[in-house]
Amino acid sequence: MTTTALPSYEDAIARYEPVIGLETHVELGTNTKMFCACPTEFGAEPNTQVCPVCLGLPGALPVANRAAIEATIRIGLALNCDIAPWCRMARKNYFYPDMPKNFQTSQYDEPLCVDGYVDVLVDGETVRIEIERVHLEEDTGKTLHVGGATGRIHGATESLVDYNRAGIPLVEIVTKPVPGIGARAPEVAKAYVTELRDIIRSLDVSDVRMEQGSMRCDVNTSLNLPGEEWGTRTETKNVNSLRSVERAVRSEIIRQASLLNEGTRIFQETRHFQETTGDTRPGRSKETATDYRYFPEPDLVPIAPDTAWVAELKAGLPEMPSVKRARLAEEWGISTVDMQSVANAGAIELIEQTIAAGATPAGARKWWMGELARRANETGVELAAVGATPAQVAQLQGLVDEGKLNDKLARQVLEAVVAGEGDPAAVIEARGLGVVSDTGALTAAVDEAIAANPDIAAKIRDGKVAAAGALVGAVMKTTRGQADAKTVRELILERLS
Amino acid sequence: MTDVTRMTAAQVAGLISKGDASAVEVATAHLDRIAAVDERVHAFLHVDREGALAAARAVDEQRARGEELGPLAGVPVAVKDVIATRGIPTTAASKILEGWKPPYDATIVQRLRAAGTVMLGKTNMDEFAMGSSTEYSAYGPTNNPWDLGRIPGGSGGGSAASLAAYEAPLAIGTDTGGSIRQPGAVTGTVGAKPTYGGTSRYGLIAFSSSLDTPGPCARTVEDAALLHAVIAGHDPRDSTSIPQPVPDVVAAARRGAGGDLTGVKLGLVKEFAGEGAEPGVLAAFHESVEALVKLGAEVVEISCPHFEYALPAYYLIAPSEASSNLARFDGVRYGLRVGDDGNRSLEEVMSLTREAGFGPEVKRRIILGTYALSSGYYDAYYGQAQKVRTLITRDFTSAFERVDVLISPTTPFVAFPFGSRTSDPYQMYLADLYTIPTNLYGGPAISVPCGLSEGLPVGFQVMAPTMADDRMYRVAAALESAVGTLTPPSLEARA
């Protein structure tokens, strides 16, 4: 490691051109595993969802899960890939205790889907990410290293293996190298993974939750001087959130630029992203490349998807997120850029549901993209988990539209809703927060304000109606914001006319 | 009562179904026979006396209740130790699986149980089915009942010897390059390798997945067909299992036993009928061909030009698949574990376990296969061998456009003395020279006794097109009707 100060991102990117590539693993949400009938539920007691097949017991044989093949083809189609008319699974041989057979059944030179693309929008500009391949494989078990300080194998006193995950179908989506994106590389990477997540979610084939590991991303990064050949790439693993994708690319660009500045060469290696520090640390060296001795899996028959079936799957694809965004942007009357912010905030479905519950598009968007987005950001939770439901937001906006709440009161009510005090109507009831528009109740407050501000009152009497705002403010203050501003204004003008 | 251990499976089944003998009596007779002679033969690695008697009692009770019995109900069967049997030790004759009891039954074992057969125990074999003599069993070799100083063939020498020693009337073998047929040939018994995919591999500890085929072993062709019919048929747990009805092999065997082969065209494989085989083997083979001609068969000489590359192709494909299939034996989950003293690394423990657990032939093939699959060598070795496999398949398909079946000796030489071929692996590999092409093609083939050479049995091989298993049974049964079965010298006389 270098002791000299790291260059700034701006300096790094001013001098070098980055090339990125992404390998994303998605655990499919099939009911059963890839090659046996074991359930796939997340979080079960260790080693309870296993059988001779997924434990790789002597003599056991795999049978491919049709639902997993179907899901992979649908992902391929959604990513504009060609579907192989004939392909095979392959064995990837290496020894590791969380792999029951000491080979992983995967695909090698005959992937199920090839040559696709995804368009992503970054700063209002479309970037096309080309997809090299989408293939199907089985997941490994999980190893838990106990007794060490780090949870890694070094220093551990024992290692425990849970084979529940072994054999869960996994789809690997590999992009072609993405050059020519310059300083936007981190954002492009994040936008791609986000788009991929949304596409797969729309297909309903995986819950694509990065924090639970059902979507995992490896980021390849290299730097080169303008006009020169692409540099040596590193592969960063352990990138477990969308934000980390962006941070990992950024920090790897800075780290590599620093080495290149010193004239040090980049080693092809696997690095691990550190969530806490935001940088990458060295992992397994790939200088001596592992020879996986791939060969076609003789225990399985080739996969030859019928063209009619593929056509049927293609016809049955849901509306793609990008198409849906364009449609909603038009329906909601907002710009593409605004729509992108809505998407980035994870607010599309929430706003849709809020509209479905009776709110106007503008009203629904205002709350989710304003007050609630701010709160989610502050507390570090996803918008959907912020504590308010679309129905509650729709009810809140309805009360505002009816004049029963003003903006300030509505925000107070929302805060209570988020705090778990119930629906807006219940909060108003419990806290007595409704707008007071009863003239009788307000007259005293208006008279008090006039008496306390004789100068302003005089101006209004002289016809300077605009001055009434100050008196309205005073009344609102004494009524703790619960007065209906329109009624107050009418009362003031009536008294001083 | 006549000695039931000398009877055919068909005869035993007849006795039981008529009530002339109980299944328990039959099982007891065979278990007693095992107790009497297996010390000298060593056909069995594990005898399941209690399990066998319980299964026999169940058959007797079924009969007592007046329930219909299957064609082999109450007939004892020996099962090669490479096949998973629930709760019964299954070692593949390897130290690395010593004491392992599978938590499940192989599909063919389930079918054997459902048919009411009585499993006597598990038979000896070359470790992981790699060998042609049982000399590579980690638990000591099996001795050929014809001459206890000679090999019983391999890898399924235990299954074949159990038949020749009258310890069992039926046995299950597995054939990857000849492991059913070659032991059948050298022990004077019948061994059939069904069409690949015709019998389920689920529960068969894999040696070479694209070649392994479980099949029947018996003392007569009809018995082999009866056992074949019980174990064959589509299994949804084996992806390579063929979802088609099994040809009626029993009817074919019975038809062949009638001794009429009029209109049947036999293709004599030119490359396997000349030099390379022992003169006595060739003499017995050609005499048998004459006998078949007398039964009405027409004989045509057929050249299969790529068969000479079968052996090298096989010794790339089978070890390659084996190197991957045997990777799971690492001491982590089951079986032997060596060197786990709390200080050694995972890699060291895996390495020590495999070092201690695998025998020399298994190690040789793992190394061979690992090399053949290595990056930079794959195309030259594994890839090239697959091309040869395609050419051999073409030799078969074009031959079967001209003839109904192909014929050859099963193996170039009769049972050889222990130790005579272990120092040179290639000499051992030659034992499977004539049987290997069929495995690469995937079709069925059977070995049937056709006479003696220097007092030792010679096998006659009939090879048929895929899913035409019935054809080979017809021809084999016809030959059997002409030349008769072979009876080894009495073991008692040599006690």
Side-chain angles (χ1 to χ4, degrees), chain A residues 56-60 62-63 91 93 95 97 100 102-103 163 291 294 296 299 301, chain B residues 104 201-204 209 236 239 324-325 327-328 330 333-334 346 370 374-375 378:
Chain A
L57 291 190
V63 177
R91 291 189 185 177
N93 295 286
F95 283 85
N102 283 326
F103 62 79
Y163 293 106
D291 184 353
Y294 282 101
D299 282 332
V301 288
Chain B
Y104 75 103
R201 291 187 296 116
Y202 189 82
L204 157 58
S209 309
S239 306
S324 173
N325 283 329
R328 72 190 63 194
D330 59 6
R333 288 160 300 272
Y334 45 78
L346 180 74
T370 303
S374 296
S375 149
Y378 180 93

mmCIF file of all heavy atoms in Angstrom, chain A residues 56-60 62-63 91 93 95 97 100 102-103 163 291 294 296 299 301, chain B residues 104 201-204 209 236 239 324-325 327-328 330 333-334 346 370 374-375 378:
data_model
loop_
_atom_site.group_PDB
_atom_site.id
_atom_site.type_symbol
_atom_site.label_atom_id
_atom_site.label_comp_id
_atom_site.label_asym_id
_atom_site.label_seq_id
_atom_site.Cartn_x
_atom_site.Cartn_y
_atom_site.Cartn_z
ATOM 1 N N GLY A 56 -25.171 -33.608 -2.233
ATOM 2 C CA GLY A 56 -24.188 -34.284 -3.080
ATOM 3 C C GLY A 56 -23.820 -35.661 -2.553
ATOM 4 O O GLY A 56 -22.680 -36.093 -2.699
ATOM 5 N N LEU A 57 -24.763 -36.365 -1.938
ATOM 6 C CA LEU A 57 -24.440 -37.694 -1.417
ATOM 7 C C LEU A 57 -24.077 -38.622 -2.582
ATOM 8 O O LEU A 57 -24.574 -38.446 -3.699
ATOM 9 C CB LEU A 57 -25.633 -38.280 -0.646
ATOM 10 C CG LEU A 57 -25.988 -37.609 0.682
ATOM 11 C CD1 LEU A 57 -27.020 -38.443 1.429
ATOM 12 C CD2 LEU A 57 -24.755 -37.415 1.556
ATOM 13 N N PRO A 58 -23.218 -39.602 -2.312
ATOM 14 C CA PRO A 58 -22.834 -40.533 -3.372
ATOM 15 C C PRO A 58 -24.080 -41.140 -4.021
ATOM 16 O O PRO A 58 -24.984 -41.596 -3.316
ATOM 17 C CB PRO A 58 -22.031 -41.603 -2.629
ATOM 18 C CG PRO A 58 -21.484 -40.901 -1.424
ATOM 19 C CD PRO A 58 -22.536 -39.902 -1.033
ATOM 20 N N GLY A 59 -24.122 -41.136 -5.340
ATOM 21 C CA GLY A 59 -25.215 -41.768 -6.066
ATOM 22 C C GLY A 59 -26.365 -40.851 -6.434
ATOM 23 O O GLY A 59 -27.136 -41.160 -7.331
ATOM 24 N N ALA A 60 -26.503 -39.725 -5.739
ATOM 25 C CA ALA A 60 -27.636 -38.839 -6.017
ATOM 26 C C ALA A 60 -27.414 -38.113 -7.349
ATOM 27 O O ALA A 60 -26.286 -37.851 -7.742
ATOM 28 C CB ALA A 60 -27.810 -37.842 -4.892
ATOM 29 N N PRO A 62 -28.910 -34.950 -10.217
ATOM 30 C CA PRO A 62 -29.709 -33.739 -10.360
ATOM 31 C C PRO A 62 -30.795 -33.867 -11.440
ATOM 32 O O PRO A 62 -30.619 -34.597 -12.402
ATOM 33 C CB PRO A 62 -28.663 -32.723 -10.824
ATOM 34 C CG PRO A 62 -27.707 -33.543 -11.650
ATOM 35 C CD PRO A 62 -27.665 -34.905 -10.994
ATOM 36 N N VAL A 63 -31.889 -33.181 -11.230
ATOM 37 C CA VAL A 63 -32.905 -33.030 -12.281
ATOM 38 C C VAL A 63 -33.223 -31.533 -12.346
ATOM 39 O O VAL A 63 -33.555 -30.918 -11.335
ATOM 40 C CB VAL A 63 -34.184 -33.830 -11.953
ATOM 41 C CG1 VAL A 63 -35.251 -33.588 -13.019
ATOM 42 C CG2 VAL A 63 -33.878 -35.325 -11.868
ATOM 43 N N ARG A 91 -19.816 -28.380 -15.474
ATOM 44 C CA ARG A 91 -19.285 -28.485 -14.111
ATOM 45 C C ARG A 91 -18.081 -27.559 -13.960
ATOM 46 O O ARG A 91 -17.171 -27.583 -14.784
ATOM 47 C CB ARG A 91 -18.852 -29.919 -13.820
ATOM 48 C CG ARG A 91 -20.007 -30.881 -13.714
ATOM 49 C CD ARG A 91 -19.492 -32.211 -13.207
ATOM 50 N NE ARG A 91 -20.538 -33.219 -13.205
ATOM 51 C CZ ARG A 91 -20.330 -34.485 -12.851
ATOM 52 N NH1 ARG A 91 -19.111 -34.870 -12.480
ATOM 53 N NH2 ARG A 91 -21.316 -35.348 -12.853
ATOM 54 N N ASN A 93 -15.153 -27.138 -11.511
ATOM 55 C CA ASN A 93 -14.524 -27.960 -10.470
ATOM 56 C C ASN A 93 -13.587 -27.167 -9.579
ATOM 57 O O ASN A 93 -12.620 -26.574 -10.074
ATOM 58 C CB ASN A 93 -13.728 -29.091 -11.141
ATOM 59 C CG ASN A 93 -14.620 -30.057 -11.902
ATOM 60 O OD1 ASN A 93 -15.311 -30.868 -11.298
ATOM 61 N ND2 ASN A 93 -14.617 -29.959 -13.222
ATOM 62 N N PHE A 95 -12.380 -27.232 -5.048
ATOM 63 C CA PHE A 95 -12.681 -27.761 -3.720
ATOM 64 C C PHE A 95 -13.055 -26.633 -2.761
ATOM 65 O O PHE A 95 -12.293 -25.683 -2.602
ATOM 66 C CB PHE A 95 -11.465 -28.516 -3.165
ATOM 67 C CG PHE A 95 -11.294 -29.879 -3.772
ATOM 68 C CD1 PHE A 95 -10.612 -30.045 -4.974
ATOM 69 C CD2 PHE A 95 -11.835 -30.998 -3.163
ATOM 70 C CE1 PHE A 95 -10.466 -31.306 -5.537
ATOM 71 C CE2 PHE A 95 -11.688 -32.262 -3.709
ATOM 72 C CZ PHE A 95 -11.007 -32.417 -4.909
ATOM 73 N N PRO A 97 -15.555 -26.465 1.070
ATOM 74 C CA PRO A 97 -16.493 -27.256 1.874
ATOM 75 C C PRO A 97 -17.960 -26.839 1.742
ATOM 76 O O PRO A 97 -18.839 -27.646 2.034
ATOM 77 C CB PRO A 97 -16.021 -27.052 3.314
ATOM 78 C CG PRO A 97 -14.824 -26.200 3.268
ATOM 79 C CD PRO A 97 -14.502 -25.839 1.865
ATOM 80 N N PRO A 100 -21.133 -29.046 -1.881
ATOM 81 C CA PRO A 100 -21.207 -30.461 -1.500
ATOM 82 C C PRO A 100 -20.536 -31.425 -2.479
ATOM 83 O O PRO A 100 -20.033 -32.450 -2.075
ATOM 84 C CB PRO A 100 -22.713 -30.731 -1.444
ATOM 85 C CG PRO A 100 -23.344 -29.395 -1.278
ATOM 86 C CD PRO A 100 -22.438 -28.399 -1.944
ATOM 87 N N ASN A 102 -18.071 -30.571 -4.557
ATOM 88 C CA ASN A 102 -16.781 -30.012 -4.960
ATOM 89 C C ASN A 102 -16.738 -29.690 -6.454
ATOM 90 O O ASN A 102 -15.676 -29.618 -7.066
ATOM 91 C CB ASN A 102 -15.606 -30.885 -4.520
ATOM 92 C CG ASN A 102 -15.322 -30.696 -3.035
ATOM 93 O OD1 ASN A 102 -15.487 -29.604 -2.484
ATOM 94 N ND2 ASN A 102 -14.930 -31.762 -2.363
ATOM 95 N N PHE A 103 -17.917 -29.535 -7.022
ATOM 96 C CA PHE A 103 -18.021 -28.837 -8.300
ATOM 97 C C PHE A 103 -19.364 -28.117 -8.280
ATOM 98 O O PHE A 103 -20.300 -28.563 -7.604
ATOM 99 C CB PHE A 103 -17.906 -29.769 -9.521
ATOM 100 C CG PHE A 103 -18.961 -30.833 -9.647
ATOM 101 C CD1 PHE A 103 -20.229 -30.536 -10.137
ATOM 102 C CD2 PHE A 103 -18.685 -32.145 -9.294
ATOM 103 C CE1 PHE A 103 -21.202 -31.522 -10.265
ATOM 104 C CE2 PHE A 103 -19.652 -33.141 -9.420
ATOM 105 C CZ PHE A 103 -20.910 -32.833 -9.900
ATOM 106 N N TYR A 163 -26.014 -25.962 4.495
ATOM 107 C CA TYR A 163 -26.263 -26.320 3.096
ATOM 108 C C TYR A 163 -27.674 -25.955 2.624
ATOM 109 O O TYR A 163 -28.073 -26.346 1.537
ATOM 110 C CB TYR A 163 -26.005 -27.815 2.882
ATOM 111 C CG TYR A 163 -24.538 -28.188 3.036
ATOM 112 C CD1 TYR A 163 -24.087 -28.871 4.154
ATOM 113 C CD2 TYR A 163 -23.613 -27.837 2.063
ATOM 114 C CE1 TYR A 163 -22.746 -29.207 4.303
ATOM 115 C CE2 TYR A 163 -22.277 -28.150 2.204
ATOM 116 C CZ TYR A 163 -21.844 -28.847 3.325
ATOM 117 O OH TYR A 163 -20.527 -29.162 3.461
ATOM 118 N N ASP A 291 -7.762 -23.165 -12.255
ATOM 119 C CA ASP A 291 -8.240 -23.902 -13.432
ATOM 120 C C ASP A 291 -9.467 -24.686 -13.007
ATOM 121 O O ASP A 291 -9.376 -25.662 -12.279
ATOM 122 C CB ASP A 291 -7.124 -24.824 -13.931
ATOM 123 C CG ASP A 291 -7.511 -25.544 -15.218
ATOM 124 O OD1 ASP A 291 -8.684 -25.434 -15.636
ATOM 125 O OD2 ASP A 291 -6.642 -26.201 -15.794
ATOM 126 N N TYR A 294 -13.669 -26.895 -16.543
ATOM 127 C CA TYR A 294 -15.070 -26.985 -16.981
ATOM 128 C C TYR A 294 -15.258 -28.129 -17.978
ATOM 129 O O TYR A 294 -14.410 -28.331 -18.849
ATOM 130 C CB TYR A 294 -15.463 -25.702 -17.706
ATOM 131 C CG TYR A 294 -15.776 -24.519 -16.841
ATOM 132 C CD1 TYR A 294 -14.837 -23.506 -16.655
ATOM 133 C CD2 TYR A 294 -17.022 -24.378 -16.248
ATOM 134 C CE1 TYR A 294 -15.129 -22.391 -15.893
ATOM 135 C CE2 TYR A 294 -17.329 -23.259 -15.488
ATOM 136 C CZ TYR A 294 -16.384 -22.272 -15.312
ATOM 137 O OH TYR A 294 -16.690 -21.168 -14.563
ATOM 138 N N PRO A 296 -18.894 -30.320 -19.937
ATOM 139 C CA PRO A 296 -20.365 -30.416 -19.944
ATOM 140 C C PRO A 296 -20.852 -31.404 -18.891
ATOM 141 O O PRO A 296 -20.292 -32.493 -18.764
ATOM 142 C CB PRO A 296 -20.683 -30.922 -21.357
ATOM 143 C CG PRO A 296 -19.482 -30.574 -22.175
ATOM 144 C CD PRO A 296 -18.310 -30.649 -21.255
ATOM 145 N N ASP A 299 -24.537 -35.524 -16.134
ATOM 146 C CA ASP A 299 -25.721 -36.004 -15.420
ATOM 147 C C ASP A 299 -27.001 -35.303 -15.874
ATOM 148 O O ASP A 299 -28.089 -35.648 -15.420
ATOM 149 C CB ASP A 299 -25.549 -35.811 -13.907
ATOM 150 C CG ASP A 299 -24.645 -36.875 -13.302
ATOM 151 O OD1 ASP A 299 -24.588 -37.985 -13.864
ATOM 152 O OD2 ASP A 299 -23.996 -36.588 -12.284
ATOM 153 N N VAL A 301 -29.352 -33.544 -19.171
ATOM 154 C CA VAL A 301 -29.535 -33.504 -20.624
ATOM 155 C C VAL A 301 -29.457 -32.042 -21.075
ATOM 156 O O VAL A 301 -29.675 -31.131 -20.278
ATOM 157 C CB VAL A 301 -30.883 -34.133 -21.034
ATOM 158 C CG1 VAL A 301 -30.825 -35.635 -20.849
ATOM 159 C CG2 VAL A 301 -32.032 -33.560 -20.235
ATOM 160 N N TYR B 104 -30.726 -43.448 1.804
ATOM 161 C CA TYR B 104 -31.735 -43.657 0.760
ATOM 162 C C TYR B 104 -31.388 -44.884 -0.080
ATOM 163 O O TYR B 104 -30.249 -45.337 -0.083
ATOM 164 C CB TYR B 104 -31.840 -42.413 -0.127
ATOM 165 C CG TYR B 104 -30.697 -42.231 -1.094
ATOM 166 C CD1 TYR B 104 -30.838 -42.528 -2.448
ATOM 167 C CD2 TYR B 104 -29.448 -41.784 -0.658
ATOM 168 C CE1 TYR B 104 -29.787 -42.380 -3.336
ATOM 169 C CE2 TYR B 104 -28.392 -41.638 -1.539
ATOM 170 C CZ TYR B 104 -28.567 -41.935 -2.873
ATOM 171 O OH TYR B 104 -27.517 -41.794 -3.753
ATOM 172 N N ARG B 201 -29.699 -44.657 -13.048
ATOM 173 C CA ARG B 201 -28.429 -44.490 -12.333
ATOM 174 C C ARG B 201 -28.629 -43.846 -10.962
ATOM 175 O O ARG B 201 -27.660 -43.656 -10.223
ATOM 176 C CB ARG B 201 -27.468 -43.623 -13.143
ATOM 177 C CG ARG B 201 -26.949 -44.285 -14.406
ATOM 178 C CD ARG B 201 -25.866 -43.443 -15.066
ATOM 179 N NE ARG B 201 -26.363 -42.161 -15.520
ATOM 180 C CZ ARG B 201 -25.955 -40.983 -15.043
ATOM 181 N NH1 ARG B 201 -25.034 -40.907 -14.106
ATOM 182 N NH2 ARG B 201 -26.464 -39.865 -15.521
ATOM 183 N N TYR B 202 -29.871 -43.481 -10.624
ATOM 184 C CA TYR B 202 -30.065 -42.794 -9.344
ATOM 185 C C TYR B 202 -29.698 -43.746 -8.200
ATOM 186 O O TYR B 202 -30.310 -44.798 -8.035
ATOM 187 C CB TYR B 202 -31.509 -42.303 -9.178
ATOM 188 C CG TYR B 202 -31.663 -41.410 -7.966
ATOM 189 C CD1 TYR B 202 -31.325 -40.065 -8.032
ATOM 190 C CD2 TYR B 202 -32.094 -41.924 -6.747
ATOM 191 C CE1 TYR B 202 -31.421 -39.248 -6.924
ATOM 192 C CE2 TYR B 202 -32.186 -41.113 -5.632
ATOM 193 C CZ TYR B 202 -31.852 -39.774 -5.731
ATOM 194 O OH TYR B 202 -31.940 -38.959 -4.625
ATOM 195 N N GLY B 203 -28.700 -43.368 -7.429
ATOM 196 C CA GLY B 203 -28.242 -44.211 -6.331
ATOM 197 C C GLY B 203 -27.044 -45.061 -6.688
ATOM 198 O O GLY B 203 -26.513 -45.777 -5.845
ATOM 199 N N LEU B 204 -26.616 -44.983 -7.934
ATOM 200 C CA LEU B 204 -25.379 -45.663 -8.344
ATOM 201 C C LEU B 204 -24.240 -44.659 -8.150
ATOM 202 O O LEU B 204 -24.254 -43.582 -8.737
ATOM 203 C CB LEU B 204 -25.512 -46.078 -9.818
ATOM 204 C CG LEU B 204 -24.244 -46.321 -10.646
ATOM 205 C CD1 LEU B 204 -23.371 -47.384 -10.027
ATOM 206 C CD2 LEU B 204 -24.634 -46.728 -12.054
ATOM 207 N N SER B 209 -20.293 -40.783 -15.423
ATOM 208 C CA SER B 209 -21.740 -40.573 -15.558
ATOM 209 C C SER B 209 -22.286 -40.879 -16.947
ATOM 210 O O SER B 209 -23.399 -41.367 -17.072
ATOM 211 C CB SER B 209 -22.075 -39.126 -15.201
ATOM 212 O OG SER B 209 -21.515 -38.798 -13.959
ATOM 213 N N PRO B 236 -37.816 -40.664 -13.240
ATOM 214 C CA PRO B 236 -37.765 -39.193 -13.295
ATOM 215 C C PRO B 236 -36.625 -38.590 -12.463
ATOM 216 O O PRO B 236 -36.296 -37.419 -12.642
ATOM 217 C CB PRO B 236 -39.130 -38.756 -12.735
ATOM 218 C CG PRO B 236 -39.696 -39.953 -12.072
ATOM 219 C CD PRO B 236 -39.079 -41.165 -12.709
ATOM 220 N N SER B 239 -32.017 -37.752 -15.003
ATOM 221 C CA SER B 239 -32.313 -36.960 -16.202
ATOM 222 C C SER B 239 -31.934 -37.686 -17.479
ATOM 223 O O SER B 239 -32.468 -37.385 -18.540
ATOM 224 C CB SER B 239 -31.544 -35.638 -16.162
ATOM 225 O OG SER B 239 -31.798 -34.958 -14.976
ATOM 226 N N SER B 324 -14.022 -35.591 -11.533
ATOM 227 C CA SER B 324 -15.013 -34.652 -11.013
ATOM 228 C C SER B 324 -15.993 -35.370 -10.065
ATOM 229 O O SER B 324 -16.303 -34.872 -8.979
ATOM 230 C CB SER B 324 -15.758 -34.030 -12.193
ATOM 231 O OG SER B 324 -16.821 -33.232 -11.777
ATOM 232 N N ASN B 325 -16.452 -36.559 -10.470
ATOM 233 C CA ASN B 325 -17.411 -37.299 -9.639
ATOM 234 C C ASN B 325 -16.840 -37.659 -8.269
ATOM 235 O O ASN B 325 -17.560 -37.696 -7.276
ATOM 236 C CB ASN B 325 -17.839 -38.589 -10.347
ATOM 237 C CG ASN B 325 -18.842 -38.337 -11.455
ATOM 238 O OD1 ASN B 325 -19.634 -37.404 -11.382
ATOM 239 N ND2 ASN B 325 -18.813 -39.167 -12.487
ATOM 240 N N ALA B 327 -14.634 -35.994 -6.599
ATOM 241 C CA ALA B 327 -14.168 -34.838 -5.834
ATOM 242 C C ALA B 327 -14.915 -34.698 -4.515
ATOM 243 O O ALA B 327 -14.396 -34.160 -3.550
ATOM 244 C CB ALA B 327 -14.322 -33.567 -6.668
ATOM 245 N N ARG B 328 -16.147 -35.202 -4.478
ATOM 246 C CA ARG B 328 -16.968 -35.023 -3.270
ATOM 247 C C ARG B 328 -16.439 -35.808 -2.075
ATOM 248 O O ARG B 328 -16.838 -35.546 -0.955
ATOM 249 C CB ARG B 328 -18.415 -35.401 -3.573
ATOM 250 C CG ARG B 328 -18.653 -36.879 -3.746
ATOM 251 C CD ARG B 328 -20.042 -37.161 -4.278
ATOM 252 N NE ARG B 328 -20.225 -36.581 -5.608
ATOM 253 C CZ ARG B 328 -21.405 -36.436 -6.208
ATOM 254 N NH1 ARG B 328 -22.512 -36.807 -5.594
ATOM 255 N NH2 ARG B 328 -21.492 -35.922 -7.412
ATOM 256 N N ASP B 330 -14.177 -35.939 0.350
ATOM 257 C CA ASP B 330 -13.155 -35.050 0.904
ATOM 258 C C ASP B 330 -13.094 -35.097 2.421
ATOM 259 O O ASP B 330 -12.365 -34.350 3.045
ATOM 260 C CB ASP B 330 -13.410 -33.609 0.434
ATOM 261 C CG ASP B 330 -14.791 -33.101 0.849
ATOM 262 O OD1 ASP B 330 -15.503 -33.813 1.592
ATOM 263 O OD2 ASP B 330 -15.160 -31.984 0.433
ATOM 264 N N ARG B 333 -18.169 -34.282 4.819
ATOM 265 C CA ARG B 333 -19.559 -34.602 5.155
ATOM 266 C C ARG B 333 -19.819 -36.046 5.576
ATOM 267 O O ARG B 333 -20.743 -36.310 6.341
ATOM 268 C CB ARG B 333 -20.478 -34.262 3.966
ATOM 269 C CG ARG B 333 -20.663 -32.773 3.741
ATOM 270 C CD ARG B 333 -21.130 -32.501 2.323
ATOM 271 N NE ARG B 333 -20.147 -33.002 1.378
ATOM 272 C CZ ARG B 333 -19.105 -32.300 0.948
ATOM 273 N NH1 ARG B 333 -18.949 -31.061 1.328
ATOM 274 N NH2 ARG B 333 -18.219 -32.839 0.129
ATOM 275 N N TYR B 334 -19.050 -37.000 5.037
ATOM 276 C CA TYR B 334 -19.296 -38.414 5.348
ATOM 277 C C TYR B 334 -18.030 -39.198 5.033
ATOM 278 O O TYR B 334 -17.117 -38.703 4.372
ATOM 279 C CB TYR B 334 -20.486 -38.964 4.533
ATOM 280 C CG TYR B 334 -20.433 -38.546 3.076
ATOM 281 C CD1 TYR B 334 -19.580 -39.180 2.186
ATOM 282 C CD2 TYR B 334 -21.191 -37.473 2.614
ATOM 283 C CE1 TYR B 334 -19.491 -38.780 0.876
ATOM 284 C CE2 TYR B 334 -21.116 -37.066 1.291
ATOM 285 C CZ TYR B 334 -20.259 -37.726 0.431
ATOM 286 O OH TYR B 334 -20.174 -37.315 -0.875
ATOM 287 N N LEU B 346 -7.782 -27.017 6.365
ATOM 288 C CA LEU B 346 -8.821 -27.743 5.637
ATOM 289 C C LEU B 346 -8.215 -28.494 4.442
ATOM 290 O O LEU B 346 -8.496 -29.670 4.210
ATOM 291 C CB LEU B 346 -9.844 -26.718 5.151
ATOM 292 C CG LEU B 346 -11.015 -27.245 4.376
ATOM 293 C CD1 LEU B 346 -11.964 -27.940 5.328
ATOM 294 C CD2 LEU B 346 -11.719 -26.091 3.685
ATOM 295 N N THR B 370 -7.938 -35.361 -14.299
ATOM 296 C CA THR B 370 -7.679 -33.966 -13.948
ATOM 297 C C THR B 370 -6.799 -33.323 -15.020
ATOM 298 O O THR B 370 -7.040 -32.199 -15.458
ATOM 299 C CB THR B 370 -6.996 -33.889 -12.566
ATOM 300 O OG1 THR B 370 -7.828 -34.532 -11.612
ATOM 301 C CG2 THR B 370 -6.755 -32.452 -12.147
ATOM 302 N N SER B 374 -7.676 -30.254 -17.987
ATOM 303 C CA SER B 374 -7.000 -28.996 -17.655
ATOM 304 C C SER B 374 -7.015 -28.032 -18.832
ATOM 305 O O SER B 374 -6.959 -28.451 -19.999
ATOM 306 C CB SER B 374 -5.551 -29.261 -17.253
ATOM 307 O OG SER B 374 -5.537 -30.021 -16.086
ATOM 308 N N SER B 375 -7.075 -26.783 -18.456
ATOM 309 C CA SER B 375 -7.058 -25.724 -19.449
ATOM 310 C C SER B 375 -5.796 -25.854 -20.306
ATOM 311 O O SER B 375 -4.702 -26.049 -19.791
ATOM 312 C CB SER B 375 -7.105 -24.397 -18.697
ATOM 313 O OG SER B 375 -6.433 -23.412 -19.384
ATOM 314 N N TYR B 378 -7.611 -29.590 -22.705
ATOM 315 C CA TYR B 378 -8.984 -30.055 -22.863
ATOM 316 C C TYR B 378 -9.273 -30.467 -24.317
ATOM 317 O O TYR B 378 -9.739 -31.569 -24.586
ATOM 318 C CB TYR B 378 -9.939 -28.950 -22.411
ATOM 319 C CG TYR B 378 -11.401 -29.302 -22.515
ATOM 320 C CD1 TYR B 378 -12.072 -29.846 -21.413
ATOM 321 C CD2 TYR B 378 -12.111 -29.081 -23.684
ATOM 322 C CE1 TYR B 378 -13.416 -30.164 -21.497
ATOM 323 C CE2 TYR B 378 -13.445 -29.400 -23.773
ATOM 324 C CZ TYR B 378 -14.103 -29.935 -22.685
ATOM 325 O OH TYR B 378 -15.428 -30.254 -22.765
#
